[in-house]
């Protein structure tokens, strides 16, 4: 799972449309970020601000990590 998809799904618990509305971009932008284009620094700031405004304990490191959900096999 790429970083933006992780942030959208696991941190914000939002669809692409909902996430786009929260940060003031199009759904197509969110889709692009999840496929192959990194968000701009300004867009990253918008994401951080949206999180802070919602009381989410934010970590900028999420932007730069490949965040995978652990699989049951990984726990063994």
């Amino acid at each position: 799972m790429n970083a933006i998809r992780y942030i959208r799904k696991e941190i914000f618990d939002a669809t692409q449309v909902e996430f786009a509305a929260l940060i003031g971009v199009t759904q197509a932008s969110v889709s692009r970020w999840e496929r192959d284009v990194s968000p701009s620094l300004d867009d990253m700031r918008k994401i951080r601000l949206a999180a802070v405004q919602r009381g989410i304990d934010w970590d900028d490191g999420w932007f730069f990590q490949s965040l995978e959900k652990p699989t049951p096999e990984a726990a063994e």
Side-chain angles (χ1 to χ4, degrees):
M1 178 178 302
N2 94 350
I4 295 300
R5 179 175 286 180
Y6 176 86
I7 290 167
R8 175 180 63 82
K9 292 179 85 174
E10 303 299 327
I11 306 303
F12 282 86
D13 189 28
T15 66
Q16 285 186 349
V17 171
E18 292 166 338
F19 189 66
L22 289 173
I23 59 175
V25 299
T26 65
Q27 179 273 329
S29 291
V30 175
S31 178
R32 237 181 350 268
W33 298 340
E34 291 185 5
R35 281 192 328 266
D36 58 2
V37 176
S38 296
S40 69
L41 183 56
D42 188 49
D43 291 326
M44 289 179 180
R45 287 183 184 125
K46 290 177 186 177
I47 294 167
R48 180 195 310 134
L49 179 61
V52 169
Q53 289 174 337
R54 285 155 187 76
I56 295 170
D57 189 21
W58 185 253
D59 180 353
D60 280 339
W62 290 329
F63 286 127
F64 308 103
Q65 298 176 19
S66 175
L67 300 163
E68 298 292 331
K69 282 187 166 182
T71 61
E73 297 82 31
E76 294 177 6

